[in-house]
């Protein structure tokens, strides 16, 4: 890669640019301050309604039980359940609670089921792995202008299997009425929260011959934990994207314009930089605005794919950047992706695995929001296989990357030792390459470290209880906006600093002293005959 | 050892922050926690207070109070103090939950103590437990803590049921909460809401009366406040934090956690352990609680405290309210408190041979059927003399 702005920029200008970046970074962190946490839960206790004739309602898609159903019972009351069958019980949850209604800014909804099961006297302790058969139906309703609700309309229906692991603490002497410790069960995932109200009618049918719910014990309560994105966070997030999108686009056009002003074809690294910018622009594109007017259940999948493409491009960029700064070129012909096929295939395989896994899970959820790949043993193995394969390719990738970086550093140290014996022009050329590489290494390492530390912090922060009212600070949202802003600034900085410089190379390198130190190189030395320059150099050192 | 009592809001928040933290690190602080609703204490103090306890609501709780059909009227509810009556009028829809919580607490008390000398005998009088509750004993400490826990549990549960109009997430909050409601980002936890409501509702009756510092009555007020707090905290202590990852491809880049309410049986077990380890305290001249025996460890806000020794529950005594253990069924082989030796207080026992038909080898069939065989066995039933 020929001379870039980074090498030709004066120390003063560089420091101004870096401080602008840092201020932008600070602004991103501060933006997180005003946002609420990314997601919140609402726990809903299911109302147990009695369906008097379950056979007729099995096929009907317009029969819905609401909280105000004609007969509701408490399962903990043994008298109330006399004469009832499992098919009679409908667990009703209206989402959301408390006279609220979902806003489209809330983006998506995850439903998790908690089944409180208690031990009954003289009942054999159950097999810890309980297979559940859940017949779930979802309906939706919207607000009407006069403050009412539209009638419930069918949204989705599925009978799915789930596994619940229950353990019973043996140390308890008085077993009757004591709860099992059961794991939660993921029930559904809605990719878009288009309607104002949702209604879940859940049945747990019993059938001995088809082995439906035969292991289930006495259930006292069924809770549905709903997780939704906070509208406030989405607003902050989307505005961050909306601000970054035009900035990035203008930087990209400026960069490409710069590249085309040179009378040569763009080199591989320039192609990589511009495609990295494109993937980030795709990620920044605020299509979330569309979800406010259109129902887009594929939003979750789309955002996964957008992020996946960006990460794949970023990883490839690092690899090729290291490769292009190896200083020693084995072939005269270079600047093609073919040379990196081995390294890039690890990224391709990893990303493809994750994409297939995602399509299997979230892609199917577009049709059936209750679907989960983890339920069947085949699905679990398949999902695990894809994830393990992706993990292996990630490992291989990092091995390749580390190996390349190690080689670059080795070459750099070799070059450093011979630098004083070089002619000044050639020395400055090599120093430029070393400087470029070290700068990117340093910033990348800082960005990666900040990302990793932030996410660890947010996990720790979320696991703790927040009972203090006085602390309104939302660490996880600060981290999300901050890290997102950081990668944006990183890419913008790369595009600006690694753009080709338009400065005329001074023929006399001796004049470059004072504050405006500029790296310069022999003007007629094209990149292709670098290898010959190196061989002559090594010959020279061996003579010495 | 001197015990400190402060009532500043700073202390409150520091306690609250450490809820699930290390218990030992907690200072033994009695706090006069001021609820959200101001109560005219002076006016309330002038009224006579002999209308029993609000726990009686649990005895009157029945099916027609259940669900959200038919709210009770505050005048009809028994045992409310003036401050509680005012809260009742403000939060009339919470009263079903309070009554349900009281009922749950009474049932749990009976369950936890069914084989002890004091078997949590519930009498049909306005004080629910009879005169026993006036003695500042371990049992009274347990009863107060359990009742407070019951209400806290029931309110948190009712929040999840959608019965209450004002919960952690509602839009009916005061204007200062509007900022927090940024498309629900400010939703508080229901456990926290239950804790705070119980704090105002249960503690208010203790704060309406003013007693001279260092008197027995003032000590009792402090003891009740402490045990009420311990009960509420038991709910939080026993709740579990559960998390779910829901980031890109289900990865943990986004993780959300919430509190999972424990069943009341677990809370009852926890509080019974606290009952067994309760600390005896006394009130000093400055109107603060102080350890009676300086060698024992200082109780935390999660522990129970009591002022007086328990009365003799072995023999019937109408003044203390003890029912005696005569006629109680005991276990001949047990060396514990339910064993005939201890339960009958050395008076001996009668043995009756009886044939019991009972259900055995049960098979549970979801949802509502238990298929059992009937077994007949002869056993000896021992009852205390």
């Amino acid at each position: 890669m020929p001379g870039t702005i980074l090498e030709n920029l004066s120390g003063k200008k560089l420091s101004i640019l870096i401080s602008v970046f840092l201020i932008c970074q600070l602004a991103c962190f501060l933006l997180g301050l005003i946002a609420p946490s990314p997601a919140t839960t609402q726990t809903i206790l299911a109302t147990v309604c009695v369906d008097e004739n379950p056979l007729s309602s099995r096929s009907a898609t317009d029969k819905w039980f609401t909280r105000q159903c004609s007969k509701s019972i408490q399962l903990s009351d043994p008298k109330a359940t006399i004469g009832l069958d499992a098919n009679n019980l409908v667990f009703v949850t209206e989402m959301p609670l408390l006279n609220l209604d979902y806003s489209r800014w809330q983006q998506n909804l995850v439903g998790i089921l908690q089944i409180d099961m208690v031990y009954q006297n003289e009942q054999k302790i159950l097999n810890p792995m309980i297979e559940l058969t859940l017949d779930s139906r979802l309906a939706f309703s919207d607000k009407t202008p006069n403050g009412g609700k539209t009638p419930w309309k069918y949204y989705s229906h599925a009978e799915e299997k789930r596994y619940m692991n229950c353990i019973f603490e043996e140390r308890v002497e008085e077993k009757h009425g004591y709860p099992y410790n059961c794991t939660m069960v993921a029930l559904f995932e809605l990719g878009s929260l288009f309607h104002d109200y949702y209604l879940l009618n859940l049945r747990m049918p019993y059938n001995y011959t088809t082995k439906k719910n035969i292991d289930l014990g006495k259930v006292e309560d069924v809770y549905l934990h709903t997780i939704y994105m906070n509208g406030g966070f989405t607003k902050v997030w989307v505005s961050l994207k909306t601000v970054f999108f035009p900035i990035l686009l203008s930087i990209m056009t400026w960069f490409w314009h710069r590249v085309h002003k040179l009378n040569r074809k763009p080199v591989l690294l320039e192609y990589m930089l511009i495609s990295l910018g494109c993937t980030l622009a795709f990620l920044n594109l605020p299509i979330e605005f569309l979800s406010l007017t259109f129902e887009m259940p594929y939003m979750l999948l789309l955002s996964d794919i957008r992020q996946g493409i960006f990460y794949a491009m970023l990883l490839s960029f690092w690899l090729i950047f290291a490769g292009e700064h190896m200083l020693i070129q084995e072939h005269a012909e270079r600047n093609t992706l073919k040379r990196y096929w081995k390294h890039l295939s690890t990224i391709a395989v990893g990303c493809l695995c994750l994409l297939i896994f995602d399509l299997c899970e979230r892609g199917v959820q577009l049709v059936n929001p209750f679907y989960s790949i983890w339920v069947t043993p085949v699905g679990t193995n398949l999902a695990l296989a894809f994830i393990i394969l992706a993990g292996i390719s990630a490992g291989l990738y990092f091995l390749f990357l580390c190996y390349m970086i190690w080689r670059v550093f080795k070459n750099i140290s070799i070059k450093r030792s011979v630098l004083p014996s070089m002619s000044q022009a050639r020395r400055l050329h090599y120093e430029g390459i070393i400087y470029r590489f070290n700068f990117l290494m340093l910033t990348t390492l800082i960005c990666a470290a900040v990302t990793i530390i932030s996410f660890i912090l947010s996990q720790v922060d979320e696991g703790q209880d927040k009972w203090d009212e006085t602390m309104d600070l939302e660490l996880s949202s600060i981290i999300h906006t901050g890290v997102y802003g950081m990668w944006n600034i990183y890419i913008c900085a790369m595009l600006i600093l690694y753009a080709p410089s338009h400065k005329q190379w001074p023929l006399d390198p001796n004049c470059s002293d004072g504050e405006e130190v500029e790296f310069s190189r022999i003007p007629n030395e094209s990149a292709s005959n670098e290898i010959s320059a190196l061989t002559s150099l090594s010959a020279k050192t061996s003579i010495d | 050892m001197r015990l400190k009592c402060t009532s500043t809001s700073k202390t409150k928040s520091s306690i609250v922050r450490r809820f699930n933290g290390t218990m030992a690190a907690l200072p033994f602080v009695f706090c006069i926690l001021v609820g959200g609703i101001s109560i005219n204490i002076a006016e309330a103090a002038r009224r006579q207070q002999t209308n029993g306890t609000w726990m009686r609501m649990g005895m009157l709780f029945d099916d027609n109070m259940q669900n959200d059909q038919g709210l009770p009227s505050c005048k009809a509810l028994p045992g409310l103090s003036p401050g509680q009556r005012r809260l009742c009028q403000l939060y009339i829809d919470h009263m079903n939950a309070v009554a349900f919580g009281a009922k749950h607490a009474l049932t749990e008390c009976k369950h936890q103590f069914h084989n002890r000398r004091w078997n949590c005998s519930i009498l049909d009088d306005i004080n629910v437990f009879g005169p026993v509750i006036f003695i500042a004993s371990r049992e009274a400490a347990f009863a107060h803590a359990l009742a407070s826990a019951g209400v806290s549990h029931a309110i948190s549960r009712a929040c999840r049921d959608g019965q209450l109009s004002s919960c952690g997430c509602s839009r009916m909050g005061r204007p200062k909460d509007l900022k927090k409601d940024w498309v629900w980002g400010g939703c508080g936890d229901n456990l926290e809401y239950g804790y705070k409501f119980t704090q105002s509702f249960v503690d208010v009756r203790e704060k309406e009366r003013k007693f001279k510092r260092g008197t027995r009555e003032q000590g009792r007020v402090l003891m009740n406040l402490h045990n009420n707090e311990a009960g509420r905290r038991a709910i939080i202590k026993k709740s579990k934090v559960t998390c779910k990852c829901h980031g890109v491809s289900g990865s943990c880049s986004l993780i959300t956690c919430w509190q999972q309410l424990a069943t009341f049986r677990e809370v009852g077990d926890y509080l019974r352990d606290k009952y067994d380890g309760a600390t005896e305290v006394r009130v000093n001249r400055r109107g603060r609680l102080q350890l009676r025996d300086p060698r024992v460890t200082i109780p935390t806000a999660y522990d129970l405290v009591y002022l007086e020794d328990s009365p003799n529950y072995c023999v019937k005594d109408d003044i203390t309210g003890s029912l005696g253990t005569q006629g109680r069924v005991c276990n001949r082989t047990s060396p514990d408190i339910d064993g005939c030796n201890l339960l009958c207080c050395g008076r001996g026992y009668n043995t009756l041979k009886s044939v019991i038909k009972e259900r055995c080898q049960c098979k549970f069939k979801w949802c509502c059927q238990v298929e059992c065989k009937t077994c007949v066995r002869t056993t000896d039933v021992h009852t205390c003399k």
Side-chain angles (χ1 to χ4, degrees):
Chain A
M1 198 169 172
T4 63
I5 285 185
L6 178 68
E7 298 152 54
N8 295 329
L9 212 58
S10 68
K12 202 171 143 193
K13 281 181 185 165
L14 190 67
S15 58
I16 289 170
L17 206 59
I18 285 177
S19 35
V20 168
F21 289 145
L22 284 180
I23 288 166
C24 289
Q25 179 62 69
L26 197 69
C28 290
F29 275 114
L30 289 179
L31 197 66
L33 273 182
I34 56 165
S37 65
T40 316
T41 56
Q42 192 179 51
T43 303
I44 304 167
L45 178 65
T47 312
V48 188
C49 287
V50 178
D51 184 359
E52 301 287 2
N53 39 23
L55 280 174
S56 71
S57 50
R58 176 162 295 172
S59 51
T61 53
D62 56 341
K63 191 178 173 190
W64 296 98
F65 288 87
T66 61
R67 271 187 51 219
Q68 288 79 31
C69 56
S70 54
K71 192 181 171 197
S72 69
I73 54 164
Q74 295 280 333
L75 282 182
S76 51
D77 179 12
K79 273 176 274 173
T81 55
I82 291 172
L84 288 181
D85 190 68
N87 297 321
N88 288 123
L89 300 186
V90 185
F91 297 88
V92 176
T93 42
E94 276 182 45
M95 299 165 268
L97 276 182
L98 306 163
N99 305 322
L100 296 164
D101 57 272
Y102 287 122
S103 149
R104 286 178 192 170
W105 285 105
Q106 285 170 325
Q107 297 288 308
N108 51 52
L109 189 72
V110 180
I112 298 148
L113 209 62
Q114 177 199 337
I115 297 174
D116 279 357
M117 210 165 73
V118 294
Y119 184 86
Q120 291 291 94
N121 257 351
E122 292 295 322
Q123 176 203 340
K124 272 198 203 119
I125 301 232
L126 301 159
N127 161 25
M129 204 53 129
I130 296 173
E131 190 187 279
L132 297 169
T133 306
L134 303 169
D135 175 292
S136 4
R137 286 150 199 247
L138 263 182
F140 69 88
S141 156
D142 286 299
K143 269 192 293 195
T144 52
N146 54 14
K149 275 185 188 183
T150 59
W152 292 108
K153 272 201 206 79
Y154 172 85
Y155 187 82
S156 175
H157 170 222
E159 189 175 286
E160 291 284 333
K161 284 206 187 313
R162 290 286 189 275
Y163 289 92
M164 183 168 76
N165 198 4
C166 289
I167 44 171
F168 192 77
E169 282 180 59
E170 283 293 339
R171 58 167 188 85
V172 183
E173 320 96 54
E174 197 67 49
K175 286 180 181 159
H176 185 70
Y178 208 87
Y180 283 89
N181 193 356
C182 293
T183 52
M184 300 216 187
V185 173
L187 188 64
F188 63 85
E189 205 164 324
L190 293 180
S192 78
L193 209 50
F194 189 72
H195 302 288
D196 291 322
Y197 308 102
Y198 288 87
L199 172 74
L200 174 74
N201 276 4
L202 181 78
R203 288 176 175 86
M204 294 192 256
Y206 176 88
N207 192 332
Y208 192 78
T209 45
T210 51
K211 300 247 185 289
K212 279 183 184 170
N213 291 321
I214 43 167
D215 292 330
L216 201 62
K218 184 168 170 62
V219 174
E220 286 211 325
D221 281 323
V222 172
Y223 289 94
L224 183 75
H225 301 282
T226 53
I227 304 176
Y228 52 85
M229 298 293 286
N230 281 323
F233 181 78
T234 315
K235 281 177 189 169
V236 169
W237 189 249
V238 173
S239 46
L240 195 68
K241 285 181 159 193
T242 322
V243 170
F244 272 121
F245 184 62
I247 295 176
L248 186 72
L249 274 191
S250 52
I251 291 175
M252 273 163 63
T253 36
W254 172 83
F255 174 83
W256 208 229
H257 187 66
R258 262 289 163 90
V259 170
H260 275 281
K261 266 210 289 197
L262 303 171
N263 48 3
R264 60 163 172 82
K265 278 194 153 185
V267 291
L268 180 62
L269 253 181
E270 281 158 357
Y271 277 124
M272 287 310 285
L273 270 170
I274 195 77
S275 21
L276 186 60
C278 284
T279 54
L280 183 66
F282 183 46
L283 187 63
N284 277 343
L285 190 71
I287 47 171
E288 281 85 354
F289 282 121
L290 291 179
S291 70
L292 300 180
T293 36
F294 304 104
E295 181 158 17
M296 301 163 79
Y298 43 84
M299 272 299 285
L300 269 179
L301 185 65
L302 192 63
S303 72
D304 280 7
I305 289 174
R306 287 201 294 174
Q307 289 206 35
I309 291 175
F310 171 68
Y311 287 137
M313 201 62 219
L314 189 64
L315 296 179
S316 324
F317 169 74
W318 286 338
L319 204 73
I320 288 170
F321 189 90
E324 293 293 284
H325 286 79
M326 207 76 98
L327 297 153
I328 293 169
Q329 315 295 339
E330 285 93 350
H331 311 285
E333 194 217 338
R334 42 179 209 138
N335 294 347
T336 50
L337 280 177
K338 274 182 200 152
R339 264 196 64 218
Y340 298 102
W341 72 270
K342 253 185 295 179
H343 314 73
L344 290 180
S345 61
T346 59
I347 300 175
V349 168
C351 288
L352 210 65
C353 284
L354 284 180
L355 179 71
I356 293 170
F357 165 70
D358 218 49
L359 281 175
C360 288
E361 173 96 357
R362 286 197 167 151
V364 180
Q365 274 174 359
L366 296 180
V367 188
N368 174 13
F370 299 103
Y371 178 80
S372 168
I373 195 169
W374 298 101
V375 173
T376 55
V378 180
T380 309
N381 290 342
L382 203 69
L384 275 177
F386 279 128
I387 289 173
I388 289 168
L389 206 59
I392 291 170
S393 7
L396 272 177
Y397 166 80
F398 276 103
L399 278 181
F400 272 129
L401 188 66
C402 290
Y403 172 67
M404 285 177 100
I405 289 170
W406 174 75
R407 268 183 62 185
V408 173
F409 273 118
K410 212 177 80 177
N411 284 335
I412 282 176
S413 64
I414 292 171
K415 285 282 130 37
R416 277 235 173 92
S417 61
V418 295
L419 267 181
S421 60
M422 285 186 200
S423 75
Q424 193 176 19
R426 190 174 290 142
R427 199 182 76 214
L428 288 176
H429 163 62
Y430 280 117
E431 274 178 350
I433 294 176
I434 292 167
Y435 177 56
R436 249 169 18 208
F437 185 78
N438 283 346
F439 185 82
L440 185 107
M441 273 301 290
L442 188 73
T443 43
T444 307
L445 275 182
I446 291 172
C447 288
V450 168
T451 310
I452 291 166
I453 291 168
S454 315
F455 278 105
I456 291 170
L457 269 182
S458 73
Q459 311 271 305
V460 172
D461 174 64
E462 196 54 54
Q464 284 170 346
D465 300 332
K466 278 174 244 150
W467 281 90
D468 198 350
E469 274 187 303
T470 56
M471 207 176 99
D472 279 329
L473 227 121
E474 270 305 336
L475 195 59
S476 62
S477 56
I478 296 171
I479 283 164
H480 275 94
T481 56
V483 167
Y484 191 77
M486 190 178 71
W487 288 109
N488 262 290
I489 291 166
Y490 174 85
I491 307 282
C492 287
M494 290 301 124
L495 281 171
I496 292 172
L497 295 174
Y498 288 79
S501 173
H502 68 289
K503 280 197 177 151
Q504 287 297 313
W505 317 118
L507 282 169
D508 185 12
N510 290 335
C511 69
S512 61
D513 50 13
E515 204 191 15
E516 297 256 327
V517 174
E518 291 183 358
F519 293 101
S520 41
R521 61 212 326 243
I522 306 163
N524 63 354
E525 188 198 55
S526 74
S528 56
N529 61 1
E530 204 173 80
I531 185 87
S532 58
L534 279 174
T535 42
S536 65
L537 180 87
S538 53
K540 196 182 160 200
T541 44
S542 61
I543 291 161
D544 287 342
Chain B
M1 181 111 19
R2 178 111 331 137
L3 306 170
K4 231 175 84 200
C5 182
T6 44
S7 62
T8 56
S9 56
K10 183 119 172 51
T11 325
K12 178 194 156 198
S13 71
S14 77
I15 290 184
V16 168
R17 192 183 303 138
R18 291 199 211 159
F19 254 130
N20 278 2
T22 49
M23 286 203 325
L26 270 170
F28 183 42
V29 192
F30 291 103
C31 288
I32 312 296
L33 301 160
V34 183
I37 295 97
S38 73
I39 280 117
N40 190 335
I41 294 168
E43 188 211 345
R46 260 183 270 125
R47 295 191 196 168
Q48 275 299 311
Q49 255 251 326
T50 49
N51 58 351
T53 168
W54 58 271
M55 290 175 219
R56 199 166 147 71
M57 280 165 76
M59 295 171 70
L60 302 177
F61 183 89
D62 55 20
D63 291 335
N64 58 30
M65 268 177 89
Q66 222 162 358
N67 299 331
D68 31 5
Q69 320 135 0
L71 292 166
S73 105
C74 291
K75 283 198 179 116
L77 291 177
L80 293 185
S81 80
Q84 284 178 327
R85 186 143 294 149
R86 213 168 287 185
L87 278 170
C88 169
Q89 277 152 5
L90 273 172
Y91 297 97
I92 181 74
D93 56 343
H94 287 45
M95 288 307 127
N96 279 334
V98 171
F100 181 74
K103 184 191 177 187
H104 224 113
L106 295 179
T107 332
E108 187 60 28
C109 179
K110 270 190 160 312
H111 170 83
Q112 294 292 345
F113 279 77
H114 74 276
N115 53 13
R116 301 207 178 206
R117 282 182 187 166
W118 179 69
N119 62 348
C120 199
S121 46
I122 286 151
L123 308 173
D124 196 20
D125 76 339
I126 54 168
N127 295 315
V128 179
F129 299 104
V132 168
I133 204 78
F134 293 125
I135 301 163
S137 60
R138 267 172 198 265
E139 288 74 27
F142 178 78
H144 273 94
L146 196 66
S148 174
V151 174
S152 194
H153 192 268
I155 294 282
S156 304
R157 198 186 127 100
C159 273
R160 294 170 179 201
D161 205 358
Q163 285 177 22
L164 309 182
S165 58
S166 64
C167 267
C169 235
S170 73
R171 279 182 182 169
M172 292 172 79
R174 282 155 289 177
K176 85 171 175 67
D177 294 335
L178 285 178
K179 191 183 78 68
K180 289 180 86 183
D181 171 45
W182 212 30
V183 200
W184 312 4
C187 273
D189 196 280
N190 293 326
L191 242 68
E192 194 182 352
Y193 182 82
Y195 173 88
K196 283 188 179 146
F197 177 80
T198 317
Q199 197 175 47
S200 15
F201 183 82
V202 178
D203 285 0
V204 70
R205 63 184 299 132
E206 307 295 339
K207 286 178 233 156
E208 308 179 321
R209 292 168 293 167
K210 279 270 184 273
F211 297 105
K212 230 182 119 214
R213 275 184 184 179
T215 55
R216 189 190 159 276
E217 288 81 7
Q218 198 244 345
R220 183 64 204 265
V221 165
L222 289 181
M223 169 186 148
N224 286 352
L225 285 176
H226 182 91
N227 294 326
N228 290 345
E229 177 70 18
R232 287 190 293 270
R233 288 191 179 206
I235 298 288
I236 287 149
K237 181 84 186 161
K238 291 311 285 180
S239 74
K240 275 182 290 185
V241 178
T242 321
C243 296
K244 162 89 180 159
C245 294
H246 53 109
V248 187
S249 308
S251 73
C252 257
S253 63
L254 253 180
I255 179 168
T256 307
C257 300
W258 65 91
Q259 299 266 355
Q260 195 184 331
L261 200 61
T263 56
F264 202 59
R265 176 59 40 85
E266 289 166 285
V267 178
D269 282 0
Y270 175 79
L271 280 176
R272 202 211 28 220
D273 288 347
K274 290 289 173 196
Y275 162 87
D276 289 332
T279 318
E280 189 173 10
V281 291
R282 65 184 176 85
V283 63
N284 66 15
R285 248 184 250 144
R286 288 166 52 199
R288 286 170 187 184
L289 294 183
Q290 194 176 324
L291 287 178
R292 182 145 291 186
D293 182 355
R295 279 166 303 179
V296 297
T297 50
I298 303 171
T300 65
Y302 294 90
D303 294 321
L304 300 185
V305 295
Y306 63 96
L307 292 164
E308 294 166 24
D309 286 329
S310 302
N312 185 0
Y313 292 115
C314 287
V315 286
K316 191 172 164 63
D317 186 343
D318 286 336
I319 298 160
T320 59
S322 163
L323 293 178
T325 57
Q326 196 183 356
R328 295 271 304 277
V329 178
C330 60
N331 184 350
R332 198 175 58 85
T333 50
S334 167
D336 285 337
I337 187 72
D338 63 329
C340 288
N341 215 359
L342 285 170
L343 192 68
C344 303
C345 312
R347 292 188 305 262
Y349 52 89
N350 299 319
T351 305
L352 193 76
K353 221 177 202 53
S354 63
V355 181
I356 298 176
K357 267 190 194 170
E358 60 176 17
R359 305 195 303 172
C360 58
Q361 293 173 4
C362 291
K363 216 172 163 197
F364 188 82
K365 189 181 151 198
W366 162 251
C367 73
C368 316
Q369 281 157 289
V370 190
E371 284 164 1
C372 295
K373 286 180 182 164
T374 314
C375 305
V376 181
R377 66 189 175 103
T378 350
T379 46
D380 295 333
V381 176
H382 311 287
T383 48
C384 289
K385 274 182 186 164

